[in-house]
PDB file of all heavy atoms in Angstrom:
ATOM      1  N   ALA A1249      -4.434-127.710 -31.541  1.00 58.00           N
ATOM      2  CA  ALA A1249      -3.766-127.139 -30.399  1.00 58.00           C
ATOM      3  C   ALA A1249      -4.019-125.623 -30.411  1.00 58.00           C
ATOM      4  O   ALA A1249      -4.099-125.016 -31.500  1.00 58.00           O
ATOM      5  CB  ALA A1249      -2.236-127.369 -30.508  1.00 58.00           C
ATOM      6  N   PRO A1250      -4.220-125.017 -29.239  1.00 60.00           N
ATOM      7  CA  PRO A1250      -4.471-123.594 -29.217  1.00 60.00           C
ATOM      8  C   PRO A1250      -3.305-122.828 -29.799  1.00 60.00           C
ATOM      9  O   PRO A1250      -2.143-123.148 -29.585  1.00 60.00           O
ATOM     10  CB  PRO A1250      -4.679-123.262 -27.731  1.00 60.00           C
ATOM     11  CG  PRO A1250      -4.258-124.475 -26.969  1.00 60.00           C
ATOM     12  CD  PRO A1250      -4.159-125.617 -27.920  1.00 60.00           C
ATOM     13  N   VAL A1251      -3.641-121.798 -30.563  1.00 59.00           N
ATOM     14  CA  VAL A1251      -2.644-120.982 -31.195  1.00 59.00           C
ATOM     15  C   VAL A1251      -2.202-119.916 -30.174  1.00 59.00           C
ATOM     16  O   VAL A1251      -3.044-119.200 -29.642  1.00 59.00           O
ATOM     17  CB  VAL A1251      -3.230-120.296 -32.474  1.00 59.00           C
ATOM     18  CG1 VAL A1251      -2.181-119.358 -33.097  1.00 59.00           C
ATOM     19  CG2 VAL A1251      -3.705-121.325 -33.459  1.00 59.00           C
ATOM     20  N   ALA A1252      -0.924-119.880 -29.925  1.00 62.00           N
ATOM     21  CA  ALA A1252      -0.416-118.899 -28.954  1.00 62.00           C
ATOM     22  C   ALA A1252      -0.374-117.532 -29.599  1.00 62.00           C
ATOM     23  O   ALA A1252       0.295-117.369 -30.635  1.00 62.00           O
ATOM     24  CB  ALA A1252       0.954-119.325 -28.460  1.00 62.00           C
ATOM     25  N   MET A1253      -1.115-116.595 -29.019  1.00 63.00           N
ATOM     26  CA  MET A1253      -1.101-115.233 -29.553  1.00 63.00           C
ATOM     27  C   MET A1253       0.045-114.482 -28.861  1.00 63.00           C
ATOM     28  O   MET A1253       0.192-114.576 -27.646  1.00 63.00           O
ATOM     29  CB  MET A1253      -2.432-114.529 -29.246  1.00 63.00           C
ATOM     30  CG  MET A1253      -3.639-115.208 -29.857  1.00 63.00           C
ATOM     31  SD  MET A1253      -3.655-115.056 -31.628  1.00 63.00           S
ATOM     32  CE  MET A1253      -4.111-113.368 -31.791  1.00 63.00           C
ATOM     33  N   PRO A1254       0.844-113.791 -29.639  1.00 65.00           N
ATOM     34  CA  PRO A1254       1.909-113.031 -28.979  1.00 65.00           C
ATOM     35  C   PRO A1254       1.336-111.921 -28.093  1.00 65.00           C
ATOM     36  O   PRO A1254       0.355-111.282 -28.456  1.00 65.00           O
ATOM     37  CB  PRO A1254       2.697-112.443 -30.159  1.00 65.00           C
ATOM     38  CG  PRO A1254       1.750-112.463 -31.326  1.00 65.00           C
ATOM     39  CD  PRO A1254       0.805-113.599 -31.059  1.00 65.00           C
ATOM     40  N   ALA A1255       1.938-111.766 -26.942  1.00 61.00           N
ATOM     41  CA  ALA A1255       1.494-110.726 -26.022  1.00 61.00           C
ATOM     42  C   ALA A1255       1.970-109.371 -26.494  1.00 61.00           C
ATOM     43  O   ALA A1255       3.072-109.243 -27.021  1.00 61.00           O
ATOM     44  CB  ALA A1255       2.043-111.013 -24.625  1.00 61.00           C
ATOM     45  N   PRO A1256       1.132-108.327 -26.358  1.00 62.00           N
ATOM     46  CA  PRO A1256       1.577-107.007 -26.774  1.00 62.00           C
ATOM     47  C   PRO A1256       2.709-106.527 -25.872  1.00 62.00           C
ATOM     48  O   PRO A1256       2.718-106.772 -24.689  1.00 62.00           O
ATOM     49  CB  PRO A1256       0.328-106.134 -26.603  1.00 62.00           C
ATOM     50  CG  PRO A1256      -0.582-106.892 -25.747  1.00 62.00           C
ATOM     51  CD  PRO A1256      -0.222-108.327 -25.871  1.00 62.00           C
ATOM     52  N   VAL A1257       3.691-105.948 -26.489  1.00 59.00           N
ATOM     53  CA  VAL A1257       4.874-105.455 -25.769  1.00 59.00           C
ATOM     54  C   VAL A1257       5.118-104.005 -26.183  1.00 59.00           C
ATOM     55  O   VAL A1257       4.939-103.653 -27.322  1.00 59.00           O
ATOM     56  CB  VAL A1257       6.114-106.314 -26.109  1.00 59.00           C
ATOM     57  CG1 VAL A1257       7.340-105.780 -25.423  1.00 59.00           C
ATOM     58  CG2 VAL A1257       5.894-107.763 -25.776  1.00 59.00           C
ATOM     59  N   ALA A1258       5.490-103.179 -25.234  1.00 61.00           N
ATOM     60  CA  ALA A1258       5.797-101.795 -25.516  1.00 61.00           C
ATOM     61  C   ALA A1258       7.156-101.421 -24.966  1.00 61.00           C
ATOM     62  O   ALA A1258       7.535-101.892 -23.893  1.00 61.00           O
ATOM     63  CB  ALA A1258       4.724-100.880 -24.919  1.00 61.00           C
ATOM     64  N   MET A1259       7.874-100.641 -25.694  1.00 70.00           N
ATOM     65  CA  MET A1259       9.123-100.117 -25.213  1.00 70.00           C
ATOM     66  C   MET A1259       8.843 -98.664 -24.777  1.00 70.00           C
ATOM     67  O   MET A1259       8.248 -97.917 -25.518  1.00 70.00           O
ATOM     68  CB  MET A1259      10.176-100.120 -26.336  1.00 70.00           C
ATOM     69  CG  MET A1259      10.559-101.514 -26.792  1.00 70.00           C
ATOM     70  SD  MET A1259      11.444-102.458 -25.574  1.00 70.00           S
ATOM     71  CE  MET A1259      12.932-101.508 -25.431  1.00 70.00           C
ATOM     72  N   MET A1260       9.319 -98.321 -23.582  1.00 73.00           N
ATOM     73  CA  MET A1260       9.074 -96.944 -23.107  1.00 73.00           C
ATOM     74  C   MET A1260      10.328 -96.119 -23.341  1.00 73.00           C
ATOM     75  O   MET A1260      11.429 -96.537 -23.086  1.00 73.00           O
ATOM     76  CB  MET A1260       8.754 -96.974 -21.614  1.00 73.00           C
ATOM     77  CG  MET A1260       7.307 -97.289 -21.310  1.00 73.00           C
ATOM     78  SD  MET A1260       6.905 -96.861 -19.621  1.00 73.00           S
ATOM     79  CE  MET A1260       7.663 -98.218 -18.769  1.00 73.00           C
ATOM     80  N   SER A1261      10.040 -94.930 -23.812  1.00 82.00           N
ATOM     81  CA  SER A1261      11.140 -93.990 -24.008  1.00 82.00           C
ATOM     82  C   SER A1261      11.538 -93.411 -22.651  1.00 82.00           C
ATOM     83  O   SER A1261      10.782 -93.492 -21.669  1.00 82.00           O
ATOM     84  CB  SER A1261      10.691 -92.852 -24.929  1.00 82.00           C
ATOM     85  OG  SER A1261       9.727 -92.052 -24.276  1.00 82.00           O
ATOM     86  N   PRO A1262      12.712 -92.812 -22.557  1.00 85.00           N
ATOM     87  CA  PRO A1262      13.110 -92.191 -21.280  1.00 85.00           C
ATOM     88  C   PRO A1262      12.116 -91.123 -20.836  1.00 85.00           C
ATOM     89  O   PRO A1262      11.874 -90.965 -19.648  1.00 85.00           O
ATOM     90  CB  PRO A1262      14.470 -91.549 -21.606  1.00 85.00           C
ATOM     91  CG  PRO A1262      15.013 -92.370 -22.755  1.00 85.00           C
ATOM     92  CD  PRO A1262      13.803 -92.772 -23.531  1.00 85.00           C
ATOM     93  N   GLN A1263      11.495 -90.393 -21.798  1.00 86.00           N
ATOM     94  CA  GLN A1263      10.506 -89.385 -21.416  1.00 86.00           C
ATOM     95  C   GLN A1263       9.270 -90.042 -20.800  1.00 86.00           C
ATOM     96  O   GLN A1263       8.708 -89.496 -19.852  1.00 86.00           O
ATOM     97  CB  GLN A1263      10.087 -88.564 -22.658  1.00 86.00           C
ATOM     98  CG  GLN A1263      11.216 -87.740 -23.257  1.00 86.00           C
ATOM     99  CD  GLN A1263      12.061 -88.498 -24.269  1.00 86.00           C
ATOM    100  OE1 GLN A1263      11.879 -89.673 -24.506  1.00 86.00           O
ATOM    101  NE2 GLN A1263      13.050 -87.805 -24.848  1.00 86.00           N
ATOM    102  N   GLU A1264       8.852 -91.177 -21.374  1.00 84.00           N
ATOM    103  CA  GLU A1264       7.676 -91.867 -20.828  1.00 84.00           C
ATOM    104  C   GLU A1264       8.006 -92.419 -19.415  1.00 84.00           C
ATOM    105  O   GLU A1264       7.131 -92.338 -18.534  1.00 84.00           O
ATOM    106  CB  GLU A1264       7.255 -93.015 -21.729  1.00 84.00           C
ATOM    107  CG  GLU A1264       6.576 -92.523 -23.017  1.00 84.00           C
ATOM    108  CD  GLU A1264       6.332 -93.655 -23.981  1.00 84.00           C
ATOM    109  OE1 GLU A1264       7.226 -94.482 -24.218  1.00 84.00           O
ATOM    110  OE2 GLU A1264       5.218 -93.667 -24.524  1.00 84.00           O
ATOM    111  N   ARG A1265       9.202 -92.928 -19.222  1.00 84.00           N
ATOM    112  CA  ARG A1265       9.583 -93.403 -17.882  1.00 84.00           C
ATOM    113  C   ARG A1265       9.543 -92.253 -16.868  1.00 84.00           C
ATOM    114  O   ARG A1265       9.080 -92.392 -15.747  1.00 84.00           O
ATOM    115  CB  ARG A1265      10.968 -94.005 -17.937  1.00 84.00           C
ATOM    116  CG  ARG A1265      11.038 -95.346 -18.577  1.00 84.00           C
ATOM    117  CD  ARG A1265      12.439 -95.956 -18.408  1.00 84.00           C
ATOM    118  NE  ARG A1265      12.710 -96.970 -19.383  1.00 84.00           N
ATOM    119  CZ  ARG A1265      12.255 -98.209 -19.376  1.00 84.00           C
ATOM    120  NH1 ARG A1265      11.465 -98.558 -18.399  1.00 84.00           N
ATOM    121  NH2 ARG A1265      12.561 -99.088 -20.313  1.00 84.00           N
ATOM    122  N   GLU A1266      10.065 -91.100 -17.269  1.00 87.00           N
ATOM    123  CA  GLU A1266      10.067 -89.935 -16.379  1.00 87.00           C
ATOM    124  C   GLU A1266       8.614 -89.484 -16.095  1.00 87.00           C
ATOM    125  O   GLU A1266       8.300 -89.143 -14.961  1.00 87.00           O
ATOM    126  CB  GLU A1266      10.887 -88.802 -17.022  1.00 87.00           C
ATOM    127  CG  GLU A1266      11.019 -87.578 -16.122  1.00 87.00           C
ATOM    128  CD  GLU A1266      11.808 -87.822 -14.856  1.00 87.00           C
ATOM    129  OE1 GLU A1266      12.613 -88.778 -14.788  1.00 87.00           O
ATOM    130  OE2 GLU A1266      11.604 -87.048 -13.893  1.00 87.00           O
ATOM    131  N   PHE A1267       7.800 -89.478 -17.111  1.00 85.00           N
ATOM    132  CA  PHE A1267       6.400 -89.077 -16.920  1.00 85.00           C
ATOM    133  C   PHE A1267       5.694 -90.032 -15.974  1.00 85.00           C
ATOM    134  O   PHE A1267       4.992 -89.595 -15.048  1.00 85.00           O
ATOM    135  CB  PHE A1267       5.684 -89.092 -18.297  1.00 85.00           C
ATOM    136  CG  PHE A1267       4.273 -88.628 -18.232  1.00 85.00           C
ATOM    137  CD1 PHE A1267       3.946 -87.305 -17.981  1.00 85.00           C
ATOM    138  CD2 PHE A1267       3.233 -89.506 -18.406  1.00 85.00           C
ATOM    139  CE1 PHE A1267       2.648 -86.846 -17.919  1.00 85.00           C
ATOM    140  CE2 PHE A1267       1.903 -89.093 -18.341  1.00 85.00           C
ATOM    141  CZ  PHE A1267       1.609 -87.761 -18.103  1.00 85.00           C
ATOM    142  N   ARG A1268       5.921 -91.343 -16.112  1.00 84.00           N
ATOM    143  CA  ARG A1268       5.310 -92.336 -15.228  1.00 84.00           C
ATOM    144  C   ARG A1268       5.809 -92.138 -13.799  1.00 84.00           C
ATOM    145  O   ARG A1268       5.073 -92.236 -12.826  1.00 84.00           O
ATOM    146  CB  ARG A1268       5.621 -93.745 -15.706  1.00 84.00           C
ATOM    147  CG  ARG A1268       4.846 -94.157 -16.953  1.00 84.00           C
ATOM    148  CD  ARG A1268       5.295 -95.479 -17.475  1.00 84.00           C
ATOM    149  NE  ARG A1268       5.148 -96.556 -16.519  1.00 84.00           N
ATOM    150  CZ  ARG A1268       4.068 -97.328 -16.468  1.00 84.00           C
ATOM    151  NH1 ARG A1268       3.081 -97.154 -17.312  1.00 84.00           N
ATOM    152  NH2 ARG A1268       4.002 -98.276 -15.545  1.00 84.00           N
ATOM    153  N   LYS A1269       7.103 -91.840 -13.673  1.00 87.00           N
ATOM    154  CA  LYS A1269       7.706 -91.609 -12.334  1.00 87.00           C
ATOM    155  C   LYS A1269       7.016 -90.393 -11.683  1.00 87.00           C
ATOM    156  O   LYS A1269       6.638 -90.438 -10.511  1.00 87.00           O
ATOM    157  CB  LYS A1269       9.191 -91.376 -12.487  1.00 87.00           C
ATOM    158  CG  LYS A1269       9.895 -91.102 -11.151  1.00 87.00           C
ATOM    159  CD  LYS A1269      11.374 -90.833 -11.409  1.00 87.00           C
ATOM    160  CE  LYS A1269      12.010 -90.366 -10.134  1.00 87.00           C
ATOM    161  NZ  LYS A1269      13.373 -89.876 -10.349  1.00 87.00           N
ATOM    162  N   LYS A1270       6.803 -89.308 -12.457  1.00 88.00           N
ATOM    163  CA  LYS A1270       6.153 -88.108 -11.914  1.00 88.00           C
ATOM    164  C   LYS A1270       4.716 -88.398 -11.517  1.00 88.00           C
ATOM    165  O   LYS A1270       4.243 -87.911 -10.488  1.00 88.00           O
ATOM    166  CB  LYS A1270       6.215 -86.976 -12.932  1.00 88.00           C
ATOM    167  CG  LYS A1270       7.602 -86.471 -13.249  1.00 88.00           C
ATOM    168  CD  LYS A1270       8.142 -85.647 -12.132  1.00 88.00           C
ATOM    169  CE  LYS A1270       9.465 -85.063 -12.532  1.00 88.00           C
ATOM    170  NZ  LYS A1270      10.215 -84.595 -11.416  1.00 88.00           N
ATOM    171  N   LEU A1271       4.002 -89.183 -12.377  1.00 86.00           N
ATOM    172  CA  LEU A1271       2.601 -89.534 -12.023  1.00 86.00           C
ATOM    173  C   LEU A1271       2.563 -90.335 -10.745  1.00 86.00           C
ATOM    174  O   LEU A1271       1.695 -90.103  -9.884  1.00 86.00           O
ATOM    175  CB  LEU A1271       1.951 -90.325 -13.166  1.00 86.00           C
ATOM    176  CG  LEU A1271       1.452 -89.534 -14.348  1.00 86.00           C
ATOM    177  CD1 LEU A1271       0.917 -90.477 -15.418  1.00 86.00           C
ATOM    178  CD2 LEU A1271       0.369 -88.566 -13.924  1.00 86.00           C
ATOM    179  N   LYS A1272       3.465 -91.276 -10.587  1.00 86.00           N
ATOM    180  CA  LYS A1272       3.533 -92.091  -9.373  1.00 86.00           C
ATOM    181  C   LYS A1272       3.803 -91.193  -8.155  1.00 86.00           C
ATOM    182  O   LYS A1272       3.181 -91.351  -7.104  1.00 86.00           O
ATOM    183  CB  LYS A1272       4.607 -93.161  -9.508  1.00 86.00           C
ATOM    184  CG  LYS A1272       4.590 -94.166  -8.420  1.00 86.00           C
ATOM    185  CD  LYS A1272       5.606 -95.265  -8.688  1.00 86.00           C
ATOM    186  CE  LYS A1272       5.592 -96.264  -7.518  1.00 86.00           C
ATOM    187  NZ  LYS A1272       6.583 -97.322  -7.695  1.00 86.00           N
ATOM    188  N   GLU A1273       4.746 -90.263  -8.296  1.00 89.00           N
ATOM    189  CA  GLU A1273       5.045 -89.336  -7.186  1.00 89.00           C
ATOM    190  C   GLU A1273       3.836 -88.477  -6.847  1.00 89.00           C
ATOM    191  O   GLU A1273       3.547 -88.245  -5.669  1.00 89.00           O
ATOM    192  CB  GLU A1273       6.247 -88.449  -7.571  1.00 89.00           C
ATOM    193  CG  GLU A1273       7.556 -89.184  -7.621  1.00 89.00           C
ATOM    194  CD  GLU A1273       8.690 -88.348  -8.170  1.00 89.00           C
ATOM    195  OE1 GLU A1273       8.457 -87.158  -8.523  1.00 89.00           O
ATOM    196  OE2 GLU A1273       9.820 -88.847  -8.274  1.00 89.00           O
ATOM    197  N   LEU A1274       3.146 -88.001  -7.855  1.00 87.00           N
ATOM    198  CA  LEU A1274       1.947 -87.191  -7.641  1.00 87.00           C
ATOM    199  C   LEU A1274       0.888 -87.986  -6.866  1.00 87.00           C
ATOM    200  O   LEU A1274       0.333 -87.491  -5.910  1.00 87.00           O
ATOM    201  CB  LEU A1274       1.365 -86.701  -8.975  1.00 87.00           C
ATOM    202  CG  LEU A1274       0.009 -85.985  -8.885  1.00 87.00           C
ATOM    203  CD1 LEU A1274       0.163 -84.702  -8.098  1.00 87.00           C
ATOM    204  CD2 LEU A1274      -0.521 -85.717 -10.296  1.00 87.00           C
ATOM    205  N   ARG A1275       0.616 -89.205  -7.312  1.00 85.00           N
ATOM    206  CA  ARG A1275      -0.363 -90.040  -6.624  1.00 85.00           C
ATOM    207  C   ARG A1275       0.025 -90.283  -5.170  1.00 85.00           C
ATOM    208  O   ARG A1275      -0.774 -90.150  -4.264  1.00 85.00           O
ATOM    209  CB  ARG A1275      -0.534 -91.361  -7.349  1.00 85.00           C
ATOM    210  CG  ARG A1275      -1.601 -92.257  -6.686  1.00 85.00           C
ATOM    211  CD  ARG A1275      -1.793 -93.547  -7.436  1.00 85.00           C
ATOM    212  NE  ARG A1275      -2.720 -94.388  -6.742  1.00 85.00           N
ATOM    213  CZ  ARG A1275      -4.028 -94.346  -6.863  1.00 85.00           C
ATOM    214  NH1 ARG A1275      -4.577 -93.475  -7.643  1.00 85.00           N
ATOM    215  NH2 ARG A1275      -4.800 -95.158  -6.163  1.00 85.00           N
ATOM    216  N   GLU A1276       1.320 -90.606  -4.936  1.00 88.00           N
ATOM    217  CA  GLU A1276       1.798 -90.830  -3.569  1.00 88.00           C
ATOM    218  C   GLU A1276       1.655 -89.557  -2.726  1.00 88.00           C
ATOM    219  O   GLU A1276       1.212 -89.638  -1.568  1.00 88.00           O
ATOM    220  CB  GLU A1276       3.245 -91.297  -3.573  1.00 88.00           C
ATOM    221  CG  GLU A1276       3.413 -92.742  -4.078  1.00 88.00           C
ATOM    222  CD  GLU A1276       4.854 -93.171  -4.211  1.00 88.00           C
ATOM    223  OE1 GLU A1276       5.781 -92.365  -3.900  1.00 88.00           O
ATOM    224  OE2 GLU A1276       5.066 -94.312  -4.684  1.00 88.00           O
ATOM    225  N   HIS A1277       1.971 -88.412  -3.303  1.00 90.00           N
ATOM    226  CA  HIS A1277       1.852 -87.159  -2.551  1.00 90.00           C
ATOM    227  C   HIS A1277       0.397 -86.910  -2.180  1.00 90.00           C
ATOM    228  O   HIS A1277       0.068 -86.551  -1.021  1.00 90.00           O
ATOM    229  CB  HIS A1277       2.392 -85.967  -3.370  1.00 90.00           C
ATOM    230  CG  HIS A1277       2.138 -84.663  -2.718  1.00 90.00           C
ATOM    231  ND1 HIS A1277       2.959 -84.169  -1.725  1.00 90.00           N
ATOM    232  CD2 HIS A1277       1.163 -83.719  -2.972  1.00 90.00           C
ATOM    233  CE1 HIS A1277       2.480 -82.987  -1.334  1.00 90.00           C
ATOM    234  NE2 HIS A1277       1.402 -82.685  -2.080  1.00 90.00           N
ATOM    235  N   LEU A1278      -0.508 -87.106  -3.156  1.00 88.00           N
ATOM    236  CA  LEU A1278      -1.931 -86.860  -2.886  1.00 88.00           C
ATOM    237  C   LEU A1278      -2.479 -87.820  -1.816  1.00 88.00           C
ATOM    238  O   LEU A1278      -3.187 -87.379  -0.924  1.00 88.00           O
ATOM    239  CB  LEU A1278      -2.740 -86.989  -4.169  1.00 88.00           C
ATOM    240  CG  LEU A1278      -2.501 -85.896  -5.221  1.00 88.00           C
ATOM    241  CD1 LEU A1278      -3.186 -86.272  -6.524  1.00 88.00           C
ATOM    242  CD2 LEU A1278      -3.016 -84.563  -4.721  1.00 88.00           C
ATOM    243  N   THR A1279      -2.144 -89.077  -1.921  1.00 86.00           N
ATOM    244  CA  THR A1279      -2.730 -90.033  -0.952  1.00 86.00           C
ATOM    245  C   THR A1279      -2.076 -89.886   0.419  1.00 86.00           C
ATOM    246  O   THR A1279      -2.736 -90.166   1.435  1.00 86.00           O
ATOM    247  CB  THR A1279      -2.535 -91.487  -1.450  1.00 86.00           C
ATOM    248  OG1 THR A1279      -1.169 -91.763  -1.709  1.00 86.00           O
ATOM    249  CG2 THR A1279      -3.357 -91.726  -2.684  1.00 86.00           C
ATOM    250  N   GLN A1280      -0.832 -89.413   0.519  1.00 91.00           N
ATOM    251  CA  GLN A1280      -0.197 -89.219   1.841  1.00 91.00           C
ATOM    252  C   GLN A1280      -0.623 -87.932   2.514  1.00 91.00           C
ATOM    253  O   GLN A1280      -0.558 -87.826   3.707  1.00 91.00           O
ATOM    254  CB  GLN A1280       1.328 -89.225   1.672  1.00 91.00           C
ATOM    255  CG  GLN A1280       1.873 -90.622   1.350  1.00 91.00           C
ATOM    256  CD  GLN A1280       3.378 -90.582   1.081  1.00 91.00           C
ATOM    257  OE1 GLN A1280       4.013 -89.524   1.101  1.00 91.00           O
ATOM    258  NE2 GLN A1280       3.935 -91.736   0.814  1.00 91.00           N
ATOM    259  N   ASN A1281      -1.085 -86.965   1.714  1.00 93.00           N
ATOM    260  CA  ASN A1281      -1.418 -85.648   2.283  1.00 93.00           C
ATOM    261  C   ASN A1281      -2.926 -85.336   2.200  1.00 93.00           C
ATOM    262  O   ASN A1281      -3.300 -84.169   2.284  1.00 93.00           O
ATOM    263  CB  ASN A1281      -0.630 -84.558   1.542  1.00 93.00           C
ATOM    264  CG  ASN A1281       0.838 -84.703   1.817  1.00 93.00           C
ATOM    265  OD1 ASN A1281       1.302 -84.542   2.913  1.00 93.00           O
ATOM    266  ND2 ASN A1281       1.603 -85.085   0.781  1.00 93.00           N
ATOM    267  N   ALA A1282      -3.756 -86.347   2.037  1.00 92.00           N
ATOM    268  CA  ALA A1282      -5.189 -86.154   1.972  1.00 92.00           C
ATOM    269  C   ALA A1282      -5.881 -87.221   2.804  1.00 92.00           C
ATOM    270  O   ALA A1282      -5.281 -88.256   3.105  1.00 92.00           O
ATOM    271  CB  ALA A1282      -5.686 -86.210   0.531  1.00 92.00           C
ATOM    272  N   ASP A1283      -7.110 -86.944   3.174  1.00 93.00           N
ATOM    273  CA  ASP A1283      -7.905 -87.908   3.942  1.00 93.00           C
ATOM    274  C   ASP A1283      -8.676 -88.815   2.982  1.00 93.00           C
ATOM    275  O   ASP A1283      -9.349 -88.346   2.063  1.00 93.00           O
ATOM    276  CB  ASP A1283      -8.919 -87.187   4.848  1.00 93.00           C
ATOM    277  CG  ASP A1283      -8.236 -86.327   5.894  1.00 93.00           C
ATOM    278  OD1 ASP A1283      -7.124 -86.707   6.337  1.00 93.00           O
ATOM    279  OD2 ASP A1283      -8.814 -85.290   6.244  1.00 93.00           O
TER     280      ASP A1283
END
C-alpha cells in the first residue's frame, strides 16, 4: 500500500501574516493603478 507522506505544514507568526497582508495590498495597488 502506498505510504502516506505527511504534508508540510507551517505556522505563521503574526508578523508573517502582517507581511503577507502588506504584500497582497502592494500587489493589488500596483495592478489597479498600472496598465
Side-chain angles (χ1 to χ4, degrees):
V1251 178
M1253 299 293 285
V1257 178
M1259 295 293 294
M1260 278 195 283
S1261 69
Q1263 295 86 358
E1264 288 172 314
R1265 287 187 201 283
E1266 183 65 23
F1267 183 71
R1268 288 173 60 93
K1269 179 182 172 190
K1270 295 286 186 196
L1271 281 176
K1272 188 175 178 182
E1273 289 172 1
L1274 173 64
R1275 182 179 176 85
E1276 287 174 2
H1277 174 80
L1278 291 170
T1279 57
Q1280 290 175 358
N1281 295 293
D1283 296 328

